[in-house]
Amino acid sequence: MFKYIKTGLRSTLNQPFSILVLFLYRFGWGMVLYKLAQSLILPMLHRYPNVEGLESQNQLFLAEAQFVLLKTDISHSVLWLLAALLVIRMVLTPLLNAGLLFSLSNPHYNAGYRFVRGIKELWKSYALLYAGQTLLTLLPLWWVLPRMKTGFLSARTYPEMASELLPLLALLLGYSFVVRLCFLYLQLGRATSHSAGRALRIAVKSLPMMLGVAVLLLLAASLCSLAVLGSTIVWAGFWMLVLYQAYRFIQTLFSVWGIASQQEIYTARAER
């Protein structure tokens, strides 16, 4: 297991172009969402009553906000904008996946060339795989959401609510995690010109190994996130902003590292 993590890190460090592209994508996406949230939240905060101790003012503010959201069309433009951003993300994700996985599977090409070539050659099949992954990920919601609603409405206390909802959430997250890994192996198979059946057989045979590697790297990334979150309590200002941007780069590095480690497992199993 640690062998694949080590070789995956070595492969990751040989992907400077892919890491830079993904980092800039995440940075740009984060800035867009930040500006959107800022444009929505700041006007609301300006209208929040600054008179302390007057509960009636707070109730009036909440009633006004509820009326504006439910009785006017002010939220329509925001919802359309969010839908447009979601569509853009769904279009860009398979393109970036195609460039990255082709780059990992073909290290003998030039870094920038192999990334662009991967997009040109694989974007159609990766778009179909991404659509299938999204559909399978959302499919259990037809079963989970009604049960979550029932558990939410029937619970009398927060512990009772947690005991009803948390197992369903854990089951849904675990299912989504396995589906994502299986489709990652399908994408790796497509990048190496293997059939979907062969890629799935490799995924099934490698299931314990690929889950172990994925969980270990997820834990490492989570610990890194907690360290950055803890530092926000101590630091503030310019240096915190610098650390946060560096953390975005580390996030990208961990993401590519996880995929590269799975690619190493896939390659080792495919050669047997």
Side-chain angles (χ1 to χ4, degrees), residues 151-179:
F152 179 79
L153 295 176
S154 62
R156 297 185 180 88
T157 62
Y158 287 114
E160 186 178 347
M161 184 188 303
S163 66
E164 291 284 342
L165 300 184
L166 289 181
L168 290 173
L169 285 176
L171 185 63
L172 185 61
L173 289 175
Y175 167 80
S176 302
F177 190 64
V178 174
V179 168

PDB file of all heavy atoms in Angstrom, residues 151-179:
ATOM      1  N   GLY A 151     -37.110  11.076   9.246  1.00  0.00           N
ATOM      2  CA  GLY A 151     -36.323  11.094  10.481  1.00  0.00           C
ATOM      3  C   GLY A 151     -36.203  12.485  11.069  1.00  0.00           C
ATOM      4  O   GLY A 151     -36.238  12.658  12.296  1.00  0.00           O
ATOM      5  N   PHE A 152     -36.092  13.499  10.207  1.00  0.00           N
ATOM      6  CA  PHE A 152     -35.988  14.879  10.674  1.00  0.00           C
ATOM      7  C   PHE A 152     -37.281  15.339  11.341  1.00  0.00           C
ATOM      8  O   PHE A 152     -37.260  16.002  12.393  1.00  0.00           O
ATOM      9  CB  PHE A 152     -35.641  15.787   9.496  1.00  0.00           C
ATOM     10  CG  PHE A 152     -35.536  17.240   9.852  1.00  0.00           C
ATOM     11  CD1 PHE A 152     -34.397  17.742  10.458  1.00  0.00           C
ATOM     12  CD2 PHE A 152     -36.595  18.111   9.581  1.00  0.00           C
ATOM     13  CE1 PHE A 152     -34.304  19.082  10.788  1.00  0.00           C
ATOM     14  CE2 PHE A 152     -36.502  19.444   9.919  1.00  0.00           C
ATOM     15  CZ  PHE A 152     -35.352  19.936  10.519  1.00  0.00           C
ATOM     16  N   LEU A 153     -38.418  14.988  10.749  1.00  0.00           N
ATOM     17  CA  LEU A 153     -39.698  15.448  11.283  1.00  0.00           C
ATOM     18  C   LEU A 153     -40.131  14.665  12.527  1.00  0.00           C
ATOM     19  O   LEU A 153     -40.817  15.215  13.390  1.00  0.00           O
ATOM     20  CB  LEU A 153     -40.785  15.332  10.204  1.00  0.00           C
ATOM     21  CG  LEU A 153     -40.602  16.239   8.983  1.00  0.00           C
ATOM     22  CD1 LEU A 153     -41.690  15.968   7.954  1.00  0.00           C
ATOM     23  CD2 LEU A 153     -40.612  17.711   9.385  1.00  0.00           C
ATOM     24  N   SER A 154     -39.717  13.410  12.607  1.00  0.00           N
ATOM     25  CA  SER A 154     -40.156  12.579  13.732  1.00  0.00           C
ATOM     26  C   SER A 154     -39.256  12.706  14.955  1.00  0.00           C
ATOM     27  O   SER A 154     -39.658  12.307  16.055  1.00  0.00           O
ATOM     28  CB  SER A 154     -40.220  11.115  13.299  1.00  0.00           C
ATOM     29  OG  SER A 154     -38.936  10.654  12.918  1.00  0.00           O
ATOM     30  N   ALA A 155     -38.053  13.252  14.781  1.00  0.00           N
ATOM     31  CA  ALA A 155     -37.115  13.334  15.911  1.00  0.00           C
ATOM     32  C   ALA A 155     -37.573  14.394  16.911  1.00  0.00           C
ATOM     33  O   ALA A 155     -38.013  15.480  16.529  1.00  0.00           O
ATOM     34  CB  ALA A 155     -35.715  13.660  15.405  1.00  0.00           C
ATOM     35  N   ARG A 156     -37.471  14.064  18.197  1.00  0.00           N
ATOM     36  CA  ARG A 156     -37.862  15.001  19.254  1.00  0.00           C
ATOM     37  C   ARG A 156     -36.661  15.754  19.822  1.00  0.00           C
ATOM     38  O   ARG A 156     -36.825  16.846  20.348  1.00  0.00           O
ATOM     39  CB  ARG A 156     -38.572  14.244  20.383  1.00  0.00           C
ATOM     40  CG  ARG A 156     -39.873  13.583  19.973  1.00  0.00           C
ATOM     41  CD  ARG A 156     -40.564  12.956  21.176  1.00  0.00           C
ATOM     42  NE  ARG A 156     -41.811  12.307  20.818  1.00  0.00           N
ATOM     43  CZ  ARG A 156     -41.911  11.050  20.422  1.00  0.00           C
ATOM     44  NH1 ARG A 156     -40.812  10.294  20.331  1.00  0.00           N
ATOM     45  NH2 ARG A 156     -43.080  10.526  20.129  1.00  0.00           N
ATOM     46  N   THR A 157     -35.484  15.169  19.731  1.00  0.00           N
ATOM     47  CA  THR A 157     -34.280  15.802  20.275  1.00  0.00           C
ATOM     48  C   THR A 157     -33.180  15.749  19.217  1.00  0.00           C
ATOM     49  O   THR A 157     -33.242  14.981  18.248  1.00  0.00           O
ATOM     50  CB  THR A 157     -33.797  15.085  21.546  1.00  0.00           C
ATOM     51  OG1 THR A 157     -33.460  13.735  21.227  1.00  0.00           O
ATOM     52  CG2 THR A 157     -34.886  15.112  22.618  1.00  0.00           C
ATOM     53  N   TYR A 158     -32.141  16.571  19.428  1.00  0.00           N
ATOM     54  CA  TYR A 158     -31.015  16.575  18.490  1.00  0.00           C
ATOM     55  C   TYR A 158     -30.267  15.244  18.470  1.00  0.00           C
ATOM     56  O   TYR A 158     -29.891  14.765  17.389  1.00  0.00           O
ATOM     57  CB  TYR A 158     -30.069  17.724  18.812  1.00  0.00           C
ATOM     58  CG  TYR A 158     -30.628  19.074  18.435  1.00  0.00           C
ATOM     59  CD1 TYR A 158     -30.944  20.019  19.409  1.00  0.00           C
ATOM     60  CD2 TYR A 158     -30.833  19.406  17.101  1.00  0.00           C
ATOM     61  CE1 TYR A 158     -31.469  21.250  19.063  1.00  0.00           C
ATOM     62  CE2 TYR A 158     -31.357  20.637  16.732  1.00  0.00           C
ATOM     63  CZ  TYR A 158     -31.665  21.564  17.726  1.00  0.00           C
ATOM     64  OH  TYR A 158     -32.180  22.791  17.381  1.00  0.00           O
ATOM     65  N   PRO A 159     -29.997  14.601  19.617  1.00  0.00           N
ATOM     66  CA  PRO A 159     -29.356  13.277  19.558  1.00  0.00           C
ATOM     67  C   PRO A 159     -30.179  12.255  18.786  1.00  0.00           C
ATOM     68  O   PRO A 159     -29.631  11.426  18.049  1.00  0.00           O
ATOM     69  CB  PRO A 159     -29.214  12.887  21.037  1.00  0.00           C
ATOM     70  CG  PRO A 159     -29.165  14.188  21.760  1.00  0.00           C
ATOM     71  CD  PRO A 159     -30.091  15.090  21.013  1.00  0.00           C
ATOM     72  N   GLU A 160     -31.504  12.308  18.965  1.00  0.00           N
ATOM     73  CA  GLU A 160     -32.362  11.382  18.228  1.00  0.00           C
ATOM     74  C   GLU A 160     -32.308  11.673  16.731  1.00  0.00           C
ATOM     75  O   GLU A 160     -32.277  10.749  15.905  1.00  0.00           O
ATOM     76  CB  GLU A 160     -33.799  11.494  18.735  1.00  0.00           C
ATOM     77  CG  GLU A 160     -34.743  10.473  18.124  1.00  0.00           C
ATOM     78  CD  GLU A 160     -36.145  10.593  18.680  1.00  0.00           C
ATOM     79  OE1 GLU A 160     -36.332  11.293  19.706  1.00  0.00           O
ATOM     80  OE2 GLU A 160     -37.055   9.990  18.089  1.00  0.00           O
ATOM     81  N   MET A 161     -32.274  12.958  16.385  1.00  0.00           N
ATOM     82  CA  MET A 161     -32.158  13.335  14.980  1.00  0.00           C
ATOM     83  C   MET A 161     -30.833  12.852  14.396  1.00  0.00           C
ATOM     84  O   MET A 161     -30.778  12.335  13.270  1.00  0.00           O
ATOM     85  CB  MET A 161     -32.269  14.852  14.834  1.00  0.00           C
ATOM     86  CG  MET A 161     -32.258  15.345  13.385  1.00  0.00           C
ATOM     87  SD  MET A 161     -32.165  17.147  13.285  1.00  0.00           S
ATOM     88  CE  MET A 161     -33.621  17.608  14.233  1.00  0.00           C
ATOM     89  N   ALA A 162     -29.748  13.023  15.170  1.00  0.00           N
ATOM     90  CA  ALA A 162     -28.436  12.589  14.698  1.00  0.00           C
ATOM     91  C   ALA A 162     -28.396  11.078  14.498  1.00  0.00           C
ATOM     92  O   ALA A 162     -27.826  10.576  13.521  1.00  0.00           O
ATOM     93  CB  ALA A 162     -27.357  13.020  15.691  1.00  0.00           C
ATOM     94  N   SER A 163     -29.006  10.339  15.402  1.00  0.00           N
ATOM     95  CA  SER A 163     -29.014   8.873  15.273  1.00  0.00           C
ATOM     96  C   SER A 163     -29.816   8.417  14.056  1.00  0.00           C
ATOM     97  O   SER A 163     -29.565   7.338  13.510  1.00  0.00           O
ATOM     98  CB  SER A 163     -29.585   8.245  16.538  1.00  0.00           C
ATOM     99  OG  SER A 163     -30.964   8.584  16.704  1.00  0.00           O
ATOM    100  N   GLU A 164     -30.772   9.234  13.619  1.00  0.00           N
ATOM    101  CA  GLU A 164     -31.573   8.890  12.447  1.00  0.00           C
ATOM    102  C   GLU A 164     -30.874   9.280  11.153  1.00  0.00           C
ATOM    103  O   GLU A 164     -30.908   8.534  10.159  1.00  0.00           O
ATOM    104  CB  GLU A 164     -32.932   9.591  12.517  1.00  0.00           C
ATOM    105  CG  GLU A 164     -33.856   9.077  13.607  1.00  0.00           C
ATOM    106  CD  GLU A 164     -34.478   7.744  13.252  1.00  0.00           C
ATOM    107  OE1 GLU A 164     -34.467   7.379  12.054  1.00  0.00           O
ATOM    108  OE2 GLU A 164     -34.950   7.057  14.165  1.00  0.00           O
ATOM    109  N   LEU A 165     -30.229  10.461  11.147  1.00  0.00           N
ATOM    110  CA  LEU A 165     -29.709  11.019   9.894  1.00  0.00           C
ATOM    111  C   LEU A 165     -28.260  10.633   9.609  1.00  0.00           C
ATOM    112  O   LEU A 165     -27.893  10.424   8.450  1.00  0.00           O
ATOM    113  CB  LEU A 165     -29.830  12.548   9.917  1.00  0.00           C
ATOM    114  CG  LEU A 165     -31.246  13.112  10.065  1.00  0.00           C
ATOM    115  CD1 LEU A 165     -31.217  14.628   9.984  1.00  0.00           C
ATOM    116  CD2 LEU A 165     -32.166  12.544   8.993  1.00  0.00           C
ATOM    117  N   LEU A 166     -27.417  10.569  10.643  1.00  0.00           N
ATOM    118  CA  LEU A 166     -25.994  10.327  10.408  1.00  0.00           C
ATOM    119  C   LEU A 166     -25.707   8.983   9.735  1.00  0.00           C
ATOM    120  O   LEU A 166     -24.849   8.921   8.837  1.00  0.00           O
ATOM    121  CB  LEU A 166     -25.219  10.447  11.726  1.00  0.00           C
ATOM    122  CG  LEU A 166     -25.097  11.873  12.284  1.00  0.00           C
ATOM    123  CD1 LEU A 166     -24.281  11.880  13.570  1.00  0.00           C
ATOM    124  CD2 LEU A 166     -24.450  12.800  11.248  1.00  0.00           C
ATOM    125  N   PRO A 167     -26.368   7.873  10.119  1.00  0.00           N
ATOM    126  CA  PRO A 167     -26.107   6.618   9.381  1.00  0.00           C
ATOM    127  C   PRO A 167     -26.457   6.712   7.905  1.00  0.00           C
ATOM    128  O   PRO A 167     -25.736   6.169   7.054  1.00  0.00           O
ATOM    129  CB  PRO A 167     -26.995   5.603  10.108  1.00  0.00           C
ATOM    130  CG  PRO A 167     -27.182   6.161  11.474  1.00  0.00           C
ATOM    131  CD  PRO A 167     -27.245   7.646  11.287  1.00  0.00           C
ATOM    132  N   LEU A 168     -27.554   7.409   7.584  1.00  0.00           N
ATOM    133  CA  LEU A 168     -27.920   7.563   6.175  1.00  0.00           C
ATOM    134  C   LEU A 168     -26.887   8.406   5.431  1.00  0.00           C
ATOM    135  O   LEU A 168     -26.517   8.089   4.297  1.00  0.00           O
ATOM    136  CB  LEU A 168     -29.304   8.208   6.066  1.00  0.00           C
ATOM    137  CG  LEU A 168     -30.493   7.348   6.498  1.00  0.00           C
ATOM    138  CD1 LEU A 168     -31.772   8.166   6.494  1.00  0.00           C
ATOM    139  CD2 LEU A 168     -30.639   6.133   5.590  1.00  0.00           C
ATOM    140  N   LEU A 169     -26.422   9.491   6.075  1.00  0.00           N
ATOM    141  CA  LEU A 169     -25.402  10.325   5.446  1.00  0.00           C
ATOM    142  C   LEU A 169     -24.103   9.553   5.251  1.00  0.00           C
ATOM    143  O   LEU A 169     -23.454   9.663   4.200  1.00  0.00           O
ATOM    144  CB  LEU A 169     -25.155  11.569   6.301  1.00  0.00           C
ATOM    145  CG  LEU A 169     -26.220  12.655   6.262  1.00  0.00           C
ATOM    146  CD1 LEU A 169     -25.885  13.770   7.242  1.00  0.00           C
ATOM    147  CD2 LEU A 169     -26.351  13.233   4.849  1.00  0.00           C
ATOM    148  N   ALA A 170     -23.714   8.772   6.256  1.00  0.00           N
ATOM    149  CA  ALA A 170     -22.486   7.981   6.147  1.00  0.00           C
ATOM    150  C   ALA A 170     -22.597   6.951   5.022  1.00  0.00           C
ATOM    151  O   ALA A 170     -21.650   6.744   4.254  1.00  0.00           O
ATOM    152  CB  ALA A 170     -22.198   7.288   7.473  1.00  0.00           C
ATOM    153  N   LEU A 171     -23.771   6.317   4.917  1.00  0.00           N
ATOM    154  CA  LEU A 171     -23.993   5.342   3.849  1.00  0.00           C
ATOM    155  C   LEU A 171     -23.929   6.007   2.479  1.00  0.00           C
ATOM    156  O   LEU A 171     -23.320   5.474   1.536  1.00  0.00           O
ATOM    157  CB  LEU A 171     -25.347   4.665   4.055  1.00  0.00           C
ATOM    158  CG  LEU A 171     -25.702   3.522   3.098  1.00  0.00           C
ATOM    159  CD1 LEU A 171     -24.731   2.363   3.257  1.00  0.00           C
ATOM    160  CD2 LEU A 171     -27.135   3.049   3.337  1.00  0.00           C
ATOM    161  N   LEU A 172     -24.530   7.187   2.359  1.00  0.00           N
ATOM    162  CA  LEU A 172     -24.534   7.900   1.087  1.00  0.00           C
ATOM    163  C   LEU A 172     -23.127   8.348   0.704  1.00  0.00           C
ATOM    164  O   LEU A 172     -22.718   8.226  -0.465  1.00  0.00           O
ATOM    165  CB  LEU A 172     -25.470   9.106   1.183  1.00  0.00           C
ATOM    166  CG  LEU A 172     -25.709   9.911  -0.099  1.00  0.00           C
ATOM    167  CD1 LEU A 172     -26.347   9.031  -1.163  1.00  0.00           C
ATOM    168  CD2 LEU A 172     -26.588  11.119   0.182  1.00  0.00           C
ATOM    169  N   LEU A 173     -22.362   8.860   1.668  1.00  0.00           N
ATOM    170  CA  LEU A 173     -20.992   9.302   1.389  1.00  0.00           C
ATOM    171  C   LEU A 173     -20.097   8.119   1.013  1.00  0.00           C
ATOM    172  O   LEU A 173     -19.263   8.226   0.098  1.00  0.00           O
ATOM    173  CB  LEU A 173     -20.429  10.033   2.606  1.00  0.00           C
ATOM    174  CG  LEU A 173     -21.031  11.415   2.896  1.00  0.00           C
ATOM    175  CD1 LEU A 173     -20.467  11.977   4.202  1.00  0.00           C
ATOM    176  CD2 LEU A 173     -20.764  12.380   1.747  1.00  0.00           C
ATOM    177  N   GLY A 174     -20.257   6.994   1.731  1.00  0.00           N
ATOM    178  CA  GLY A 174     -19.466   5.817   1.397  1.00  0.00           C
ATOM    179  C   GLY A 174     -19.772   5.300   0.002  1.00  0.00           C
ATOM    180  O   GLY A 174     -18.865   4.935  -0.760  1.00  0.00           O
ATOM    181  N   TYR A 175     -21.050   5.282  -0.347  1.00  0.00           N
ATOM    182  CA  TYR A 175     -21.455   4.848  -1.693  1.00  0.00           C
ATOM    183  C   TYR A 175     -20.870   5.778  -2.755  1.00  0.00           C
ATOM    184  O   TYR A 175     -20.327   5.310  -3.771  1.00  0.00           O
ATOM    185  CB  TYR A 175     -22.978   4.824  -1.768  1.00  0.00           C
ATOM    186  CG  TYR A 175     -23.527   4.702  -3.166  1.00  0.00           C
ATOM    187  CD1 TYR A 175     -23.573   3.468  -3.811  1.00  0.00           C
ATOM    188  CD2 TYR A 175     -23.997   5.830  -3.831  1.00  0.00           C
ATOM    189  CE1 TYR A 175     -24.074   3.364  -5.107  1.00  0.00           C
ATOM    190  CE2 TYR A 175     -24.503   5.730  -5.126  1.00  0.00           C
ATOM    191  CZ  TYR A 175     -24.536   4.503  -5.752  1.00  0.00           C
ATOM    192  OH  TYR A 175     -25.030   4.407  -7.030  1.00  0.00           O
ATOM    193  N   SER A 176     -20.957   7.092  -2.530  1.00  0.00           N
ATOM    194  CA  SER A 176     -20.429   8.055  -3.494  1.00  0.00           C
ATOM    195  C   SER A 176     -18.920   7.905  -3.648  1.00  0.00           C
ATOM    196  O   SER A 176     -18.384   8.042  -4.755  1.00  0.00           O
ATOM    197  CB  SER A 176     -20.768   9.482  -3.047  1.00  0.00           C
ATOM    198  OG  SER A 176     -22.162   9.652  -2.903  1.00  0.00           O
ATOM    199  N   PHE A 177     -18.239   7.606  -2.542  1.00  0.00           N
ATOM    200  CA  PHE A 177     -16.796   7.437  -2.563  1.00  0.00           C
ATOM    201  C   PHE A 177     -16.401   6.242  -3.430  1.00  0.00           C
ATOM    202  O   PHE A 177     -15.481   6.325  -4.258  1.00  0.00           O
ATOM    203  CB  PHE A 177     -16.305   7.249  -1.130  1.00  0.00           C
ATOM    204  CG  PHE A 177     -14.814   7.307  -0.956  1.00  0.00           C
ATOM    205  CD1 PHE A 177     -14.113   8.468  -1.223  1.00  0.00           C
ATOM    206  CD2 PHE A 177     -14.116   6.192  -0.525  1.00  0.00           C
ATOM    207  CE1 PHE A 177     -12.744   8.525  -1.062  1.00  0.00           C
ATOM    208  CE2 PHE A 177     -12.744   6.241  -0.357  1.00  0.00           C
ATOM    209  CZ  PHE A 177     -12.059   7.413  -0.629  1.00  0.00           C
ATOM    210  N   VAL A 178     -17.107   5.108  -3.272  1.00  0.00           N
ATOM    211  CA  VAL A 178     -16.808   3.912  -4.052  1.00  0.00           C
ATOM    212  C   VAL A 178     -17.137   4.135  -5.528  1.00  0.00           C
ATOM    213  O   VAL A 178     -16.374   3.727  -6.424  1.00  0.00           O
ATOM    214  CB  VAL A 178     -17.578   2.702  -3.491  1.00  0.00           C
ATOM    215  CG1 VAL A 178     -17.403   1.480  -4.380  1.00  0.00           C
ATOM    216  CG2 VAL A 178     -17.100   2.383  -2.080  1.00  0.00           C
ATOM    217  N   VAL A 179     -18.269   4.784  -5.814  1.00  0.00           N
ATOM    218  CA  VAL A 179     -18.640   5.067  -7.203  1.00  0.00           C
ATOM    219  C   VAL A 179     -17.581   5.942  -7.870  1.00  0.00           C
ATOM    220  O   VAL A 179     -17.184   5.688  -9.020  1.00  0.00           O
ATOM    221  CB  VAL A 179     -20.026   5.750  -7.261  1.00  0.00           C
ATOM    222  CG1 VAL A 179     -20.293   6.321  -8.654  1.00  0.00           C
ATOM    223  CG2 VAL A 179     -21.114   4.764  -6.895  1.00  0.00           C
TER     224      VAL A 179
END
